[in-house]
Amino acid sequence: MNASLEEFLIARRDTGRSLLVPYVTAGVTPKWTEVVHAYVDAGADAVEVGFPFSDPMLDGVTIQEASDRALAAGTTVRGILDEVATLDVDVPVVAMTYSNLVFQRSAAEFCAALRGSGLRGLIVPDSPLEEVGDLADAAAAEGLDLVLLAAPSSSRARLREIAGRSRGFVYALTRMGTTGEGGEISEQAARLGRELKELTDRPVLFGFGVAGPERAAELADHADGVVVASALMRRLLDGAGAGELGEYVSSIRRALDQGARWAVHPATAPSPTT
Amino acid sequence: MDVMTDPGTTGRFGAYGGRYVPESLIPACHEIEAAFREAWSDTEFRGRLTMLLSVYAGRPTPLTPAWRLSRELGITLLLKREDLTHTGSHKINNVIGQALLAQRMGKRRILAETGAGQHGVATATAAALLGLEATVFMGERDIERQELNVLRMEVLGAEVVPVTSGSRTLKDACNEAMRHWVSSVDDSYYCIGSVMGPHPYPWMVREFQRVIGEEAREQCAAELPYGVPDYVVACIGGGSNAVGTFAGFVDTAARLVGVEAEGGAAATFGRAGVLHGFRSLVLQNDDGQVTEAHSVAAGLDYPGIGPEHAHLRDAGRARYETVNDDEVIRALRRLAHTEGILAALESSHALAWVIRAAESGGIAPGSTVMLTLSGRGDKDIASIKEML
Ligand SMILES: Cc1ncc(COP(=O)(O)O)c(C=O)c1O
């Protein structure tokens, strides 16, 4: 696979498909890489792999628990990278972790290590625009797409900058809060999706609180797709295996495919009013 | 030297500080920074703060010579008595400032994290005073260690939320407070208890605590033959009483010394890292997993240190020392016996270093030492009893 994360996702979206990016915490079970394969077989367009951190400020109880479990099992960055390198998947794999892991030695070293293991993108939720400079340069130098977050509280000016500087996709937070299941789809999420779509042709994916096929499809209506994390990790922590998780992802895949609206396709959507 | 100035809009202290928070919190940080800048240059706000610190919190606090201990140690030891403030520690200085700011910003509720419970008690107190709600996050382990302060907060009308994640101490209480802040940022103000967190907190908290150093500077000028002490010493958890103290002496010849608990000594054993929204020195393993701090003093059980301390260390303007639990308990008892002052376990760290340094000749005989006694020890009686 030679395409960048962004090229890959744009190509898929432009076929009229809603994008689906499921998440797994690396090391949460010894067989977590099987979960990645199950996601891909179930129709994932990319997979987000969480590198567990001891103090996950933006995570709710589920991903906290998954992170604690992975760390207690002795998961290390080096170990994750070695396992990622053995993955045999035909969609991009994206790392998600916190600043302290990224800046441990240097952003350049971290990005080079990710790229060396075949990762195509990186999400660092506690590195906002003002702190992302060196990291963005390091990622670009390695051909790694650095995905930025946009929040319902972001001003129009910030959204413009985020949309402009994010690579791969723009990660739109459905709500003000941590990762975790549940909650209604708010009008603010829909508005954020619409605004971002106006500002960029880059894929816009919703994340946080995306649980269940209906909600996923509903949200995907307002953007290009969804990231599903806590709903999957909750099931995994409750004992679900790769097979079951794959089925859950398939159910979301089907809902997205049925619900996908041509209206979000850039070729047929009304021209952006910026 | 470029230290202890305004860290600008990026909140940098040399290589440290910054604003490492999720995008969702950035607008709130901007809003607080703007509100603080405006309030801090508003004479009415400053007047109201000064008035409350005086008639409500009991400032200025005295500078008390430790007469008998000084004689024993062969030095002149002066104690800045933050233990005599309302609620019994320096935390009240910062909290009254931030609570006034929250009120000015139209917030309804104050969130806080607490370790020893002193910041929680101060927050509950200021909230009651100004008619705000208070929610305090506290690690389950600290709740056990500091039962008395939990009761105080509840009597004052605050909600105390036990934190069960991670090490169940201060660091986890910070994580949980941040998580709740993200989801309630519209009506809630996060009142951070030390010189940590994203910009503008480390700077703002320093400004609210500088009253300690400024008063002490004036008191020293009035009392000491040369006007300035040879040493200025304070204990460090996140570093707010120390930064506030140092701010009054940074432009003098006084040697500034911060004292950390051996098991939580980020300035001594930490490496650069990002935790709780800022870059500083952090106790962590090779991978960047933050390690748990251990100290008899719940208020010092923090694996990081305020970013300005990291900068002062790098710049060579302050030095950082460690003491162990045994020395701390001995120092606490010694001060109680010689001066009739029961200091907090946290504050006793600063004292333990002074005793060690004076006895070993590290502090030359005849030197003058100004030590900030950050709080009173009533809250620690049960822990002390266990350790005797
Ligand atoms: C009495 C006392 N001193 C010191 C500290 C440590 O905080 P800081 O380093 O911010 O002054 C605490 C914290 O709880 C405290 O209660």
Side-chain angles (χ1 to χ4, degrees):
Chain A
M1 188 178 43
N2 289 319
S4 70
L5 171 65
E6 183 160 322
E7 289 162 350
F8 187 91
L9 292 180
I10 287 179
R12 286 223 166 171
R13 178 202 56 191
D14 287 355
T15 65
R17 178 180 168 98
S18 270
L19 302 173
L20 173 56
V21 180
Y23 165 98
V24 64
T25 301
V28 63
T29 70
K31 295 182 174 172
W32 68 273
T33 53
E34 286 179 11
V35 175
V36 175
H37 285 113
Y39 289 168
V40 176
D41 293 344
D45 298 295
V47 177
E48 187 181 323
V49 171
F51 285 52
F53 176 46
S54 54
D55 294 81
M57 190 212 302
L58 198 59
D59 284 305
V61 286
T62 302
I63 293 180
Q64 283 177 48
E65 192 184 331
S67 303
D68 286 349
R69 194 189 276 196
L71 290 174
T75 303
T76 62
V77 171
R78 190 64 259 163
I80 298 169
L81 291 172
D82 290 345
E83 287 188 273
V84 167
T86 67
L87 289 172
D88 179 20
V89 291
D90 56 3
V91 304
V93 180
V94 181
M96 134 73 211
T97 195
Y98 284 84
S99 294
N100 200 44
L101 268 62
V102 175
F103 296 111
Q104 229 3 257
R105 272 157 278 276
S106 71
E109 209 175 302
F110 191 78
C111 291
L114 293 189
R115 199 64 179 85
S117 294
L119 284 137
R120 311 307 296 247
L122 172 61
I123 305 166
V124 189
D126 61 343
S127 271
L129 277 179
E130 21 293 88
E131 304 296 351
V132 96
D134 291 351
L135 175 56
D137 293 345
E142 291 294 337
L144 195 68
D145 282 348
L146 182 68
V147 177
L148 300 183
L149 276 62
S153 58
S154 307
S155 66
R156 179 85 181 178
R158 283 187 74 84
L159 288 183
R160 188 184 303 278
E161 204 180 336
I162 290 164
R165 291 179 65 185
S166 190
R167 296 288 177 270
F169 60 93
V170 182
Y171 197 129
L173 302 181
T174 58
R175 59 170 182 227
M176 296 294 287
T178 59
T179 57
E181 288 178 76
E184 288 300 296
I185 296 171
S186 61
E187 174 47 33
Q188 60 180 7
R191 181 160 29 86
L192 179 62
R194 277 197 305 273
E195 278 202 72
L196 286 168
K197 292 295 297 165
E198 275 170 35
L199 290 168
T200 182
D201 182 45
R202 221 159 250 135
V204 174
L205 304 191
F206 278 120
F208 284 35
V210 184
E214 297 81 23
R215 243 178 92 68
E218 225 177 303
L219 276 167
D221 260 2
H222 303 287
D224 297 310
V226 293
V227 176
V228 183
S230 295
L232 286 160
M233 287 301 95
R234 184 73 264 151
R235 283 166 174 76
L236 187 152
L237 291 169
D238 289 346
E244 255 174 276
L245 296 175
E247 276 166 35
Y248 187 70
V249 171
S250 293
S251 69
I252 296 177
R253 175 78 269 159
R254 279 193 301 276
L256 289 178
D257 290 347
Q258 281 159 14
R261 304 277 158 88
W262 284 96
V264 299
H265 187 263
T268 53
S271 57
T273 51
T274 36
Chain B
M1 194 190 308
D2 182 24
V3 291
M4 305 207 98
T5 53
D6 180 335
T9 53
T10 59
R12 292 280 160 186
F13 303 92
Y16 307 103
R19 193 175 263 157
Y20 293 87
V21 290
E23 174 62 23
S24 344
L25 286 176
I26 291 287
C29 290
H30 284 155
E31 198 191 334
I32 293 168
E33 183 183 352
F36 174 67
R37 284 187 186 277
E38 201 187 276
W40 210 227
S41 56
D42 174 358
T43 47
E44 205 184 305
F45 180 89
R46 298 288 286 257
R48 187 131 186 265
L49 175 60
T50 305
M51 182 272 289
L52 287 178
L53 288 177
S54 159
V55 306
Y56 186 74
R59 302 209 73 89
T61 57
L63 187 69
T64 307
W67 288 283
R68 292 178 58 207
L69 186 56
S70 290
R71 212 170 313 129
E72 287 178 16
L73 296 174
I75 60 172
T76 300
L77 176 59
L78 303 169
L79 306 173
K80 180 61 177 163
R81 300 290 304 280
E82 295 303 297
D83 59 316
L84 293 179
T85 56
H86 180 44
T87 71
S89 86
H90 69 292
K91 300 283 178 187
I92 195 76
N93 305 328
N94 167 43
V95 162
I96 291 183
Q98 288 200 57
L100 280 176
L101 188 67
Q103 193 183 48
R104 185 182 167 102
M105 293 172 70
K107 303 292 181 185
R108 175 180 70 77
R109 186 167 75 131
I110 313 185
L111 307 175
E113 82 295 335
T114 196
Q118 290 301 100
H119 175 57
V121 168
T123 302
T125 300
L129 173 69
L130 299 180
L132 300 164
E133 289 170 35
T135 304
V136 181
F137 297 88
M138 189 169 185
E140 226 174 23
R141 252 189 82 212
D142 291 336
I143 287 182
E144 286 159 21
R145 290 196 276 186
Q146 306 285 342
E147 206 185 339
L148 191 62
N149 273 343
V150 177
L151 289 173
R152 286 168 84 193
M153 286 184 263
E154 286 171 353
V155 171
L156 287 160
E159 181 196 5
V160 180
V161 181
V163 176
T164 56
S165 56
S167 56
R168 296 174 294 131
T169 62
L170 181 55
K171 121 181 141 67
D172 311 284
C174 290
N175 290 330
E176 209 50 34
M178 292 257 186
R179 291 182 188 121
H180 279 258
W181 188 32
V182 181
S183 46
S184 62
V185 73
D186 278 346
D187 68 347
S188 299
Y189 176 94
Y190 181 20
C191 179
I192 297 186
S194 190
V195 280
M196 54 199 212
H199 181 55
Y201 285 100
W203 167 57
M204 174 168 68
V205 176
R206 179 245 275 167
E207 292 303 291
F208 285 139
Q209 289 293 5
R210 70 184 305 137
V211 64
I212 305 173
E214 284 174 356
E215 281 178 15
R217 171 87 176 263
E218 263 180 50
Q219 291 164 324
C220 285
E223 300 298 327
L224 297 176
Y226 300 104
V228 174
D230 300 306
Y231 290 86
V232 169
V233 187
C235 70
I236 296 197
S240 68
N241 86 87
V243 148
T245 304
F246 292 176
F249 294 92
V250 71
D251 61 345
T252 71
R255 274 167 264 197
L256 310 179
V257 184
V259 185
E260 294 184 287
E262 196 173 66
T268 304
F269 305 120
R271 277 188 300 114
V274 176
L275 180 66
H276 298 144
F278 63 103
R279 185 181 145 85
S280 188
L281 298 167
V282 179
L283 296 175
Q284 53 189 322
N285 72 13
D286 276 353
D287 249 11
Q289 306 301 346
V290 178
T291 46
E292 292 169 18
H294 293 287
S295 163
V296 275
L300 305 191
D301 251 359
Y302 187 67
I305 186 169
E308 192 158 29
H309 284 296
H311 182 48
L312 286 169
R313 185 199 74 160
D314 284 6
R317 181 59 192 97
R319 65 186 236 240
Y320 296 86
E321 301 282 348
T322 65
V323 292
N324 65 36
D325 288 356
D326 287 344
E327 292 175 285
V328 170
I329 301 282
R330 267 186 274 127
L332 184 149
R333 301 193 72 193
R334 190 155 170 193
L335 189 74
H337 286 167
T338 56
E339 311 300 327
I341 295 172
L342 183 57
L345 281 168
E346 290 79 11
S347 324
S348 299
H349 282 68
L351 190 67
W353 178 77
V354 171
I355 291 173
R356 189 214 291 158
E359 288 180 343
S360 68
I363 293 178
S367 299
T368 306
V369 178
M370 202 304 288
L371 182 153
T372 294
L373 202 82
S374 55
R376 66 178 187 222
D378 308 45
K379 68 182 175 60
D380 298 318
I381 286 298
S383 320
I384 295 164
K385 185 176 164 216
E386 253 172 53
M387 274 169 299
L388 293 183

